Amino acid sequence: MEYVFSNAAVARSFTAYMGTAVGVDAPSKWRIAVPGLPNGFNQVDLVAVGVILLISVCICYSTKESSKVNMVLTAVHVAFILFIIVMGFWRGDARNLTHPADPAHPGGFFPNGVGGVFSGAAMVYLSYIGYDAVSTMAEEVERPARDIPIGVSGSVIIVTVLYCLMAASMSMLLPYDAIDTEAPFSGAFRGSDGWGWVSNVIGAGASLGILTSLMVAMLGQARYLCVIGRSGVMPAWLAKVHPKTATPVNASAFLGLLTAALALFTELDILLNLVCIGTLFVFYMVSNAVVYRRYVVGPTGSSTESGDRQPSAWPTLAFLLAFSLIALSFTLVWKLAPEGGRTRVGLLSACGAAAVATVGAFQALVPQAHTPELWGVPGMPWVPAASVFLNVFLLGSLDRPSYVRFGFFSAAAVLVYVLYSVHASYDAEESATLDGAKVQDEACRV
């Protein structure tokens, strides 16, 4: 879900940046208004649909060729990013970091306080989707045990540094309340005497960057669905790998059409909110799963510290539940308690102390059941616990409509799982037990 929504959102933003590159700044000129449809779903974006379908065809054709195109686009994109950073610091003014364009708006380096920082963090979580897509290529790299951790960790570090530099340069170019939300970087130079060409260059560079982002994400999402299809949770038809191109053609085509359908109608802000809440929830679940896997049941081939007998799951489940409740309590106090009062500070401090004590007690009392042989999350259980806490906290920064939409899609997913996936995956496991191996198609062997 998060991949489909994020790709649709990125494709919608492509329209705005491409318009800037060719001198047609208003995204509305590239979209068709459809009267009668509800707000947020009444702007048809055919450009976004075309981009998604084109990339879908590319990734269906060949992973190798797609990777070559992606490498070229990425090199050009990084050059444009460095260009934006240099232009921002050169043309920017440090005064813009603290002074709004409209004096009526709050000023200072934290115009909306610490709460504004966390609300912003919840929104830019979108930028941290895709690193996990590196892991989906494990079957297609020569040394996955070495290359996958380097690829994930290295890309996170590099992109975080570039992201921070770009945010700083943007904040120096314009006050926060004058930034164009559709195409911020190209919009910063729009109308500047003698600098209008920079807006066009940035629009072209951002367009290439969006194509890179889409290609990587769509490569990853198709492989996720292919693996899910192998397990029987989704129809095995989606796990079909083309014998000539060696790509999951059915999964790529299905997800391409679904993403295009969403990008056709849905506005960017609605998609962004759905992506953020979906991503935060998924990362929350993954953080819990990491603890459970390490302390209860590990992957095949890992060594056992406490003998062959699998430990009880209840201590770990109790810890995960208690810690999540503490994080939720901290979030509710932060959101609902009056600011500046001693009661609020005391409650927040108590929740923080309880969180630290809970993690410390769990670490001291419950031994790890497994030690990963190749690579594992360091600092257990503190690192995943911090992730759980931050994800719950950032989830509290999102608006009510986002939860309603997320609840609708989650309910639909649960319905499919209960009515189809449970039975299909059980039948697949039974078949695997009888046959000695589970083969969903001739090219996907498990």
Side-chain angles (χ1 to χ4, degrees):
M1 186 180 75
E2 60 171 314
Y3 269 85
V4 170
F5 286 145
S6 65
N7 290 338
V10 170
R12 295 278 298 196
S13 66
F14 175 84
T15 305
Y17 274 109
M18 191 189 71
T20 305
V22 299
V24 182
D25 297 334
S28 58
K29 294 181 180 179
W30 293 88
R31 294 169 182 155
I32 303 170
V34 180
L37 291 178
N39 251 354
F41 302 91
N42 58 349
Q43 295 286 327
V44 173
D45 194 331
L46 296 176
V47 175
V49 172
V51 167
I52 291 170
L53 295 180
L54 179 63
I55 292 176
S56 297
V57 171
C58 290
I59 63 176
C60 285
Y61 174 68
S62 169
T63 299
K64 185 177 181 180
E65 298 302 324
S66 299
S67 299
K68 289 179 180 178
V69 172
N70 182 52
M71 287 179 67
V72 173
L73 289 175
T74 300
V76 176
H77 186 212
V78 170
F80 275 107
I81 287 174
L82 296 175
F83 173 77
I84 291 170
I85 292 170
V86 170
M87 292 298 298
F89 282 104
W90 179 31
R91 291 277 297 168
D93 183 355
R95 177 183 168 83
N96 290 332
L97 295 172
T98 54
H99 292 75
D102 184 353
H105 293 159
F109 192 74
F110 294 96
N112 295 301
V114 178
V117 174
F118 286 110
S119 295
M123 291 304 297
V124 301
Y125 227 72
L126 167 68
S127 306
Y128 287 87
I129 293 176
Y131 301 106
D132 53 308
V134 176
S135 65
T136 67
M137 308 300 289
E139 296 179 358
E140 299 166 67
V141 296
E142 292 181 0
R143 298 178 62 184
R146 181 201 66 180
D147 297 340
I148 297 300
I150 292 174
V152 174
S153 304
S155 58
V156 167
I157 293 169
I158 293 169
V159 175
T160 300
V161 171
L162 292 175
Y163 197 103
C164 292
L165 290 173
M166 289 184 73
S169 67
M170 183 73 254
S171 300
M172 290 179 66
L173 278 170
L174 288 175
Y176 76 92
D177 56 343
I179 294 173
D180 182 352
T181 55
E182 286 274 1
F185 287 98
S186 57
F189 291 93
R190 195 181 303 137
S192 301
D193 294 335
W195 293 94
W197 63 272
V198 176
S199 179
N200 298 337
V201 171
I202 292 175
S207 300
L208 288 173
I210 287 170
L211 292 177
T212 306
S213 174
L214 274 173
M215 185 167 289
V216 172
M218 292 181 74
L219 273 169
Q221 73 174 8
R223 280 147 184 79
Y224 275 133
L225 194 58
C226 178
V227 173
I228 293 171
R230 291 180 191 176
S231 68
V233 174
M234 293 291 282
W237 174 82
L238 293 168
K240 179 75 174 179
V241 174
H242 196 277
K244 291 184 178 180
T245 63
T247 58
V249 176
N250 293 346
S252 300
F254 172 75
L255 289 170
L257 292 172
L258 182 59
T259 305
L262 282 171
L264 182 64
F265 292 102
T266 315
E267 288 291 342
L268 183 62
D269 57 342
I270 294 173
L271 289 167
L272 288 176
N273 281 336
L274 279 169
V275 172
C276 290
I277 192 170
T279 306
L280 287 165
F281 185 76
V282 168
F283 283 13
Y284 164 79
M285 295 298 293
V286 169
S287 299
N288 281 284
V290 166
V291 175
Y292 187 86
R293 295 278 286 184
R294 185 73 66 87
Y295 284 85
V296 180
V297 55
T300 303
S302 60
S303 59
T304 304
E305 290 183 355
S306 54
D308 296 329
R309 185 170 172 270
Q310 182 173 305
S312 172
W314 288 111
T316 302
L317 292 174
F319 161 70
L320 294 174
L321 177 61
F323 191 79
S324 294
L325 290 174
I326 293 170
L328 180 61
S329 301
F330 184 93
T331 304
L332 292 174
V333 171
W334 180 275
K335 293 283 290 183
L336 302 176
E339 293 187 16
R342 291 185 178 179
T343 304
R344 184 174 190 262
V345 174
L347 289 172
L348 291 175
S349 301
C351 289
V356 172
T358 302
V359 179
F362 178 74
Q363 184 182 30
L365 298 175
V366 182
Q368 294 188 28
H370 303 272
T371 302
E373 292 182 357
L374 298 173
W375 191 88
V377 176
M380 292 288 290
W382 295 94
V383 171
S387 179
V388 168
F389 195 94
L390 287 172
N391 280 295
V392 171
F393 184 74
L394 293 176
L395 279 167
S397 303
L398 298 172
D399 57 10
R400 184 177 174 275
S402 299
Y403 279 94
V404 174
R405 297 184 189 112
F406 178 71
F408 171 77
F409 282 104
S410 298
V414 169
L415 198 62
V416 171
Y417 184 75
V418 170
L419 296 180
Y420 173 81
S421 302
V422 170
H423 312 288
S425 58
Y426 176 79
D427 292 341
E429 288 294 335
E430 285 291 302
S431 175
T433 303
L434 294 173
D435 301 338
K438 179 168 54 176
V439 182
Q440 295 290 356
D441 63 75
E442 65 272 15
C444 278
R445 294 185 176 86
V446 178

